[in-house]
């Protein structure tokens, strides 16, 4: 067993997760407004999606890859529209309402997990980046390619999960210092950023 494949996957997972995008903004906003656990569960949804796409690329599941690329127009469309909806809803939600909602739906962690999982999966082109990086790492070039692919995919998930633990944990340390006014502006700014990402996703569509 070549443990270096696990380490390479770990580094790749960290680097992919650390890229600032709509999911990063969403996780930070959820952590500030709903607490560490809610933000962390949201991050785990993203890490799971990274692991799924890594598995598809690493094990060469060509049928699934072809299906995703054939549906990428509709996947991007739905993802972009949902990001816009999520952004607008975030902008219009007041901190007091958000706090009340957090208390009322404290057990709804599954929704937080599924929402980020599905949103992250709305970019099938991610498979291309995984496939290219996996080839560079050397997955498939060894005699035991299945084992090497498994180690890299596990590393990708662990690296991504590690980043979300670090990000949400760091933000939660300062969560109580935010005043209601700050929370209001955090909602407005983060909601605007998420909505902009949604608009950009729609503008990138090619019919």
């Amino acid at each position: 067993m070549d443990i270096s494949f696990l380490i390479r996957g770990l580094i790749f997972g960290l680097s992919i997760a650390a890229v600032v995008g709509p999911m990063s903004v969403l996780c930070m906003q959820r952590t500030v407004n709903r607490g560490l656990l809610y933000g962390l569960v949201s991050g785990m949804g993203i890490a799971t999606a990274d692991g799924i796409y890594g598995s598809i690329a690493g094990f060469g599941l060509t049928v699934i890859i072809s299906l995703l690329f054939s549906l990428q127009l509709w996947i991007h469309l739905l993802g972009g529209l949902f990001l816009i909806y999520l952004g607008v809803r975030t902008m219009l939600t007041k901190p007091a309402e958000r706090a009340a909602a957090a208390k009322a739906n404290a057990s709804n962690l599954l929704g937080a997990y599924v929402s980020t999982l599905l949103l992250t999966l709305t970019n099938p082109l991610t498979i291309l980046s995984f496939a290219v990086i996996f080839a560079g790492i050397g997955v498939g070039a060894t005699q035991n390619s299945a084992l090497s692919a498994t180690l890299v995919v596990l590393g990708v998930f662990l690296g991504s999960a590690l980043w979300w633990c670090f990000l949400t944990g760091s933000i939660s340390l300062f969560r109580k210092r935010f005043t209601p006014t700050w929370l209001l502006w955090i909602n407005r700014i983060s909601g605007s950023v998420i909505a902009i990402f949604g608009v950009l996703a729609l503008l990138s569509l090619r019919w």
Side-chain angles (χ1 to χ4, degrees), residues 24-186:
S24 297
V25 176
L26 182 60
C27 273
M28 289 187 285
Q29 190 269 341
R30 284 182 172 181
T31 302
V32 170
N33 283 273
R34 298 197 176 192
L36 173 60
L37 184 58
Y38 202 88
L40 184 58
V41 169
S42 298
M44 291 305 102
I46 303 171
T48 302
D50 288 340
I52 291 173
Y53 272 154
S55 299
I56 294 173
F59 292 103
L61 304 178
T62 55
V63 174
I64 297 178
I65 293 175
S66 299
L67 176 63
L68 287 173
F69 276 100
S70 67
L71 297 174
Q72 67 174 310
L73 174 64
W74 297 106
I75 294 175
H76 271 129
L77 178 62
L78 292 175
L81 290 174
F82 188 73
L83 281 175
I84 293 174
Y85 160 75
L86 197 61
V88 172
R89 191 182 69 174
T90 301
M91 282 188 290
L92 297 178
T93 303
K94 297 179 180 179
E97 294 174 348
R98 179 68 73 183
K103 292 180 181 178
N105 300 315
S107 62
N108 192 21
L109 297 176
L110 179 61
Y113 175 84
V114 172
S115 63
T116 53
L117 170 66
L118 294 180
L119 277 172
T120 307
L121 289 175
T122 57
N123 187 14
L125 292 176
T126 306
I127 295 179
L128 285 180
S129 63
F130 274 98
V132 171
I133 297 296
F134 276 29
I137 289 175
V139 174
T142 62
Q143 291 183 346
N144 199 346
S145 58
L147 178 58
S148 63
T150 300
L151 289 174
V152 173
V153 171
L154 178 60
V156 166
F157 172 78
L158 292 177
S160 181
L162 183 62
W163 168 255
W164 297 116
C165 287
F166 168 76
L167 181 65
T168 56
S170 300
I171 293 175
S172 68
L173 293 176
F174 304 97
R175 179 173 175 254
K176 293 183 179 180
R177 299 185 181 182
F178 291 111
T179 65
T181 301
W182 282 31
L183 291 175
L184 178 62
W185 279 105
I186 288 174

